[in-house]
Amino acid sequence: GCIDLRQFGITEDNVVIFAFGEIDARTHIGRQRDELKRDLDEIIETLATAYVNTILLNRSLYKSLLCIVYSVTPPADGINNPQLPFYGSIQDRVLITRQLNARLAALCRHFKIEFLNVYKNY
């Protein structure tokens, strides 16, 4: 199902910052590519499109709602979460994160959604 922002008390003229993708880049995307033999571009396109479509659907429920997508933060080799472990090398996860951010940025430009690129600040 689609997340409905109204259930979180979001009202007209609010600003909503969407932050997603870190777990996908850390755990899911590379694993789906390798274990399910999916094309990396297809995985990222499917994920980014679904994400932006959810934002667009929610934005359409309001007359005035500022939506901002917060870029996926760079991967790191920190404390491992056994439920959502690192998958792949740091270099592979960097590539996945950069590609996901590039696709999100392009979709945001196309649909006039603000994209806050913090990746370069890390």
Side-chain angles (χ1 to χ4, degrees):
C2 183
I3 294 173
D4 185 340
L5 293 178
R6 296 173 297 185
Q7 72 181 351
F8 299 105
I10 304 299
T11 59
E12 291 294 340
D13 298 317
N14 280 182
V15 175
V16 181
I17 299 174
F18 296 87
F20 110 114
E22 185 277 327
I23 293 170
D24 297 292
R26 172 173 23 116
T27 300
H28 301 306
I29 294 172
R31 184 179 311 280
Q32 287 185 19
R33 176 198 60 207
D34 297 345
E35 293 178 3
L36 301 177
K37 305 299 183 215
R38 289 177 67 192
D39 179 72
L40 182 61
D41 292 335
E42 178 271 323
I43 296 168
I44 288 175
E45 181 65 28
T46 300
L47 182 63
T49 299
Y51 181 50
V52 169
N53 282 341
T54 296
I55 294 170
L56 293 171
L57 180 63
N58 275 281
R59 190 170 72 176
S60 73
L61 300 173
Y62 297 86
K63 290 179 182 151
S64 177
L65 183 71
L66 177 58
C67 297
I68 301 170
V69 172
Y70 187 90
S71 64
V72 181
T73 55
D77 283 333
I79 298 171
N80 199 14
N81 176 343
Q83 284 77 39
L84 297 166
F86 297 114
Y87 181 87
S89 68
I90 188 73
Q91 294 85 359
D92 190 40
R93 289 181 280 125
V94 165
L95 178 126
I96 289 168
T97 303
R98 286 182 175 164
Q99 190 170 337
L100 180 55
N101 276 333
R103 188 64 193 127
L104 284 171
L107 286 167
C108 286
R109 275 191 307 277
H110 180 76
F111 291 108
K112 296 181 177 29
I113 298 169
E114 297 294 324
F115 185 77
L116 180 58
N117 186 1
V118 299
Y119 188 97
K120 61 184 181 259
N121 297 331
Y122 284 86

